[in-house]
């Protein structure tokens, strides 16, 4: 005992001495050394937590408790804070003490809507038998390749239209990295007048008010699903106090959606230029791009192309650009959840107000956009508002990128007039239905957009045209099914997806989706109870996930009543 402690005890005082070690798990020197080597000279700032977790996951194929503690020490964060973030995201394999680490290789098989229709469950069962314990086979939600379903991902290498033979061949060959894509590169883009429109904005050839008016007149709306007018959003953010930030959401996780992937694989600089123009129009000098983790090849390509852009800026004082990597959380498609994730936290949606345009990323006013919303900005400014307004059908105006998958001959992204009907889209763009399949129904807006029968295949597809039918178009993710599919089975698939992807923050969504899955598994649906549950979820959920989750089950009750009391195919 120290002299100080002996003296204090003689005086009748209790002196609390500092602990020889801290509370809880202690830092393992080896793990700390490994984490330090992975992080190198990179910043340890809090918002890079998810980026640094990816480094551990990529290197060791899992994240041990020792690495979590070491990372917490290195970033000067609490262990609980690091643990709660790491365990929130699907793509981090956190190994608790005593648990067996997973195999070094994981094969992920999508089981969402289109992949289920194309035989994903049989593929999963066969792979479990064919690969054995040497490889982990995981069921995962939509990975943005619905047009080439079913899809398996070997490591980070997607296998399209997968079968057992093709997947096993990739595993045996050790092909775990994605094939490189070849988009229009920086130099090639510049040869086609690339970044000249941005330069014209920066040097005063285009006036801000003129550009804002053009955007208003074009009718361009948010193409991530919400549909908020782009010009109006720019005006709102422009009026906010500086400093302001921009966040671009490329976390398209809605089952059936793959349009952002399509454009980024082909012409990423058109997106980057539109993004820079948006930043110029709103006085923003720092931009964060949030890309879903499943798009590994696009991430590698964007890293290269953004580096070229930064090294050869078209103007002085170009905004700072950050590329951030998602970690497998559908909820981060919601704008405030994405912002929380960029800040290095769990992707929990925020209560509103305040809105992100006023209090967003790092507490600053934030312009939040979907990738495609800014992809068309250059064309609109160069060609005028008529680039959009000269098109449309059935009384609607504009152009839309429809991600179409399912039982059609030509799935893919189809750039078509706003207001086109589902039947017209199938006949004119998708090459008709697959042989042996009759058009029976469709999801007009992904898993959350509801389900409509073929008898409503004439309804114009656009914002504000589907609400009266209990549906919405969202990001225009269309899944077509036939008389060989069952609407109720697809609705159950969608509800299971929402159950898995609920962030758990609010009870109506967390418990409601789970209860709905159980009720929908019954041979005969209790329609009154399901409707009561749906009403609570819609009225009381914090964000759009819980509010939209009941749409498919409600649609089955309304439009496919013959499927509610029988387990047999029609």
């Amino acid at each position: 005992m120290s002299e100080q402690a002996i003296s204090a005890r003689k005086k009748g005082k209790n002196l609390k001495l500092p602990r020889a070690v801290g509370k809880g798990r202690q830092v393992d020197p080896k793990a700390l050394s490994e984490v330090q080597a992975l992080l190198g000279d990179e910043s340890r700032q809090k918002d890079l937590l998810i980026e640094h977790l990816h480094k551990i996951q990529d290197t060791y194929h899992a994240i041990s408790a020792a690495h979590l503690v070491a990372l917490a020490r290195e970033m000067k964060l609490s262990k609980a804070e690091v643990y709660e973030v790491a365990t929130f995201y699907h793509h981090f394999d956190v190994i608790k003490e005593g648990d067996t680490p997973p195999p070094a290789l994981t094969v992920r098989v999508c089981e969402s809507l289109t992949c289920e229709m194309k035989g994903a469950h049989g593929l999963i069962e066969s792979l479990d038998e064919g690969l054995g314990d040497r490889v982990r086979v995981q069921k995962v939600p939509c990975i943005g390749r619905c047009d080439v379903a079913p899809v398996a991902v070997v490591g980070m290498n997607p296998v399209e239209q997968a079968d057992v033979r093709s997947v096993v061949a990739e595993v045996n060959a050790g092909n775990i990295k994605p094939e490189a894509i070849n988009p229009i590169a920086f130099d090639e883009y510049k040869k086609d007048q690339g970044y000249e429109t941005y330069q014209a904005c920066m040097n005063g050839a285009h006036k801000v008010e003129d550009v804002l008016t053009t955007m208003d007149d074009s009718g361009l709306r948010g193409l991530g699903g919400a549909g908020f007018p782009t010009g109006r959003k720019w005006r709102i953010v422009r009026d906010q106090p500086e400093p302001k930030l921009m966040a671009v959401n490329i976390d398209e996780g809605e089952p059936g959606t793959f349009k952002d992937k399509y454009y980024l694989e082909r012409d990423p600089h058109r997106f980057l230029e539109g993004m820079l123009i948006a930043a110029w129009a709103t006085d923003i000098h720092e931009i964060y791009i949030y890309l879903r983790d499943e798009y590994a090849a696009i991430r590698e390509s964007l890293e290269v192309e953004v580096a070229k852009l930064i090294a050869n800026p078209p103007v002085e004082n170009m905004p700072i650009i950050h590329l951030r990597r998602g970690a497998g959380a559908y909820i981060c498609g919601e704008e405030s959840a994405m912002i929380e994730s960029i800040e290095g936290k769990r992707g929990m949606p925020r209560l509103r107000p305040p809105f992100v345009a006023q209090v967003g990323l790092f507490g600053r006013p934030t312009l939040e956009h979907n990738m495609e919303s800014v992809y068309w900005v250059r064309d609109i400014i160069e060609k005028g508002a008529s680039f959009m307004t000269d098109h449309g059908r059935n009384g609607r105006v504009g152009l839309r990128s429809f991600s179409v998958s399912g039982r059609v001959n030509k799935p893919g992204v189809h750039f078509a007039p706003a207001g086109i009907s589902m039947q017209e889209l199938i006949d004119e763009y998708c090459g008709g239905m697959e042989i042996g399949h009759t058009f029976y129904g469709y999801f007009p807006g992904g898993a959350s957009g509801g389900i409509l029968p073929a008898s409503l295949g004439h309804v114009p597809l656009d914002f504000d045209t589907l609400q009266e039918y209990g549906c919405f178009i969202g990001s225009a993710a269309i899944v077509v099914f036939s008389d060989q599919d069952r609407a109720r089975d697809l609705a159950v698939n969608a509800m299971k997806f929402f159950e898995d992807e609920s962030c758990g923050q609010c009870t109506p969504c967390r418990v409601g989706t789970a209860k709905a899955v159980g009720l929908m598994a019954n041979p005969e649906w209790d329609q009154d109870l399901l409707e009561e549950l749906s009403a609570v979820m819609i009225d009381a959920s914090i964000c759009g996930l819980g509010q939209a989750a009941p749409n498919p089950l409600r649609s089955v009750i309304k439009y496919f009543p013959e499927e509610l009391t029988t387990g047999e195919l029609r």
Side-chain angles (χ1 to χ4, degrees):
M1 185 178 293
S2 68
E3 293 184 5
Q4 184 184 13
I6 293 171
S7 175
R9 179 165 291 184
K10 287 179 178 178
K11 297 178 181 179
K13 296 179 180 179
N14 289 321
L15 180 65
K16 289 187 177 180
L17 298 178
R19 287 177 175 268
V21 294
K23 291 182 178 181
R25 180 184 291 274
Q26 303 307 301
V27 177
D28 177 80
K30 181 176 181 291
L32 181 60
S33 176
E34 290 169 343
V35 167
Q36 289 172 337
L38 285 175
L39 272 54
D41 295 331
E42 291 192 37
S43 170
R44 272 62 167 168
Q45 65 198 56
K46 179 180 177 180
D47 58 285
L48 291 175
L49 173 57
I50 294 172
E51 297 295 310
H52 295 337
L53 285 167
H54 273 301
K55 293 179 176 68
I56 300 173
Q57 177 73 40
D58 291 346
T59 303
Y60 297 100
H61 311 296
I63 303 175
S64 68
H67 281 137
L68 284 178
V69 173
L71 183 60
R73 164 70 70 83
E74 191 66 14
M75 297 187 70
K76 295 180 171 59
L77 298 172
S78 71
K79 300 162 194 171
E81 191 171 4
V82 174
Y83 179 81
E84 72 174 7
V85 171
T87 54
F88 180 84
Y89 295 94
H90 296 314
H91 290 184
F92 296 141
D93 292 310
V94 178
I95 308 303
K96 300 177 182 177
E97 188 172 2
D99 287 353
T100 302
L105 180 60
T106 296
V107 173
R108 297 177 172 88
V109 182
C110 174
E111 62 171 352
S112 289
L113 295 170
T114 306
C115 284
E116 180 183 273
M117 291 163 56
K118 297 288 185 172
H121 288 167
L123 175 61
I124 292 167
E125 292 175 1
S126 299
L127 287 174
D128 275 330
E129 296 175 2
L131 293 173
D133 295 337
R134 63 189 175 120
V135 176
R136 177 177 58 168
V137 178
Q138 275 189 337
K139 302 174 184 178
V140 298
C142 186
I143 55 177
R145 289 176 169 81
C146 315
D147 53 330
V148 288
V151 179
V153 182
V154 178
M156 292 186 179
N157 174 30
V159 182
E160 300 175 347
Q161 295 176 328
D163 56 25
V164 175
R165 179 187 300 177
S166 61
V167 175
V168 172
E170 294 296 297
V171 170
N172 291 337
N175 295 330
I176 62 173
K177 294 184 178 180
E179 290 188 10
I181 58 176
N182 296 296
I184 296 173
F186 179 73
D187 291 338
E188 185 181 358
Y189 182 76
K190 287 195 70 176
K191 290 178 182 177
D192 187 26
Q193 301 178 323
Y195 292 106
E196 290 184 8
T197 301
Y198 176 51
Q199 290 171 330
C201 291
M202 291 293 288
N203 66 25
H206 290 303
K207 304 299 181 185
V208 172
E209 184 55 40
D210 292 340
V211 169
L212 291 174
T213 299
T214 299
M215 298 305 297
D216 288 334
D217 294 343
S218 73
L220 182 68
R221 296 172 66 167
L223 298 175
F228 194 86
T230 300
R232 192 192 311 172
K233 180 181 286 190
W234 289 11
R235 292 181 187 277
I236 291 171
V237 175
R238 182 174 175 80
D239 290 339
Q240 301 302 312
E242 294 188 13
K244 294 172 280 191
L245 301 171
M246 182 175 182
V248 183
N249 197 331
I250 320 179
D251 195 57
E252 57 174 0
E254 182 72 28
T257 306
F258 46 91
K259 63 182 180 61
D260 293 353
K261 170 182 169 291
Y262 176 87
Y263 289 118
L264 286 172
E265 287 181 335
R266 289 158 176 77
D267 196 356
H269 286 282
R270 189 168 299 272
F271 147 63
L272 292 171
E273 183 170 9
M275 177 187 76
L276 292 171
I277 293 170
W280 160 78
T282 49
D283 289 327
I284 286 171
H285 305 288
E286 195 164 0
I287 303 170
Y288 288 78
I289 301 172
Y290 188 85
L291 178 68
R292 73 178 303 190
D293 195 32
E294 289 85 348
Y295 293 168
I298 292 174
R299 182 176 67 254
E300 293 177 358
S301 171
L302 265 184
E303 287 172 348
V304 171
E305 297 306 318
V306 169
K308 292 177 183 177
L309 175 61
I310 293 172
N312 302 276
V315 299
E316 294 182 359
N317 301 318
M318 192 179 75
I320 299 169
I321 300 174
H322 306 273
L323 181 59
R324 293 294 174 84
R325 180 178 172 184
Y330 166 73
I331 192 63
C332 290
E334 196 275 340
E335 61 179 7
S336 66
M338 175 197 65
I339 285 172
E340 289 284 298
S341 189
I342 292 174
E343 292 180 357
K345 297 183 268 187
R346 295 176 296 167
M348 296 281 200
R350 296 176 180 177
L351 292 171
R352 288 169 287 187
F355 297 96
V356 299
Q358 301 163 314
V359 181
L361 188 57
F362 305 120
R364 303 307 310 166
T366 301
L367 176 66
E368 190 276 342
H369 263 311
N370 169 254
M371 189 288 300
E372 196 198 353
S373 300
V374 293
Y375 184 88
W376 302 115
V377 166
R378 173 188 166 185
D379 290 283
I380 291 171
I381 294 176
E382 290 179 355
K383 301 172 185 177
S386 61
F387 173 74
M388 286 287 179
T389 58
D390 282 353
H391 305 275
R393 287 194 190 176
N394 299 312
R396 309 301 297 179
V397 175
L399 290 163
R400 294 299 303 268
S401 300
F402 296 94
S403 303
V404 186
S405 64
R407 305 295 191 182
V408 294
N409 284 319
K410 294 181 180 178
V413 174
H414 299 291
F415 197 44
I420 192 171
S421 71
M422 187 67 253
Q423 190 64 63
E424 291 170 333
L425 197 59
I426 292 172
D427 295 340
E428 299 175 32
Y429 289 83
C430 301
M433 296 291 291
E434 290 180 345
I435 295 175
H437 291 267
T438 300
F439 180 35
Y440 179 58
Y442 62 107
F443 289 74
S448 61
I451 311 175
L452 292 175
S455 60
L456 291 177
H458 64 281
V459 176
L461 296 171
D462 197 12
F463 294 113
D464 312 319
T465 61
L466 301 172
Q467 281 84 338
E468 64 179 292
Y469 304 101
C471 298
F472 60 80
I473 194 169
S475 58
I478 295 175
V479 180
V480 182
F481 57 95
S482 76
D483 56 341
Q484 296 187 31
D485 306 300
R486 300 177 68 223
R488 65 174 284 161
D489 290 343
L490 296 173
V492 171
N493 181 294
M495 190 60 73
K496 287 181 178 178
F497 170 81
F498 295 129
E499 178 189 19
D500 290 340
E501 295 297 327
S502 174
C503 74
Q505 180 177 190
C506 66
T507 302
C509 177
R510 181 184 68 251
V511 177
T513 52
K515 292 292 186 183
V517 167
L519 291 170
M520 294 167 74
N522 293 329
E524 183 172 347
W525 286 10
D526 187 331
Q527 297 181 44
D528 292 337
L529 187 55
L530 280 169
E531 177 55 37
E532 183 180 354
L533 178 62
S534 298
V536 172
M537 292 172 65
I538 292 168
D539 292 342
S541 294
I542 290 174
C543 80
L545 192 157
Q547 295 164 8
N551 286 340
L553 79 85
R554 280 181 147 186
S555 296
V556 172
I557 292 172
K558 184 175 183 179
Y559 297 116
F560 303 90
E562 69 279 5
E563 296 190 15
L564 297 179
T565 57
T566 177
E568 300 177 0
L569 282 171
R570 292 163 306 285

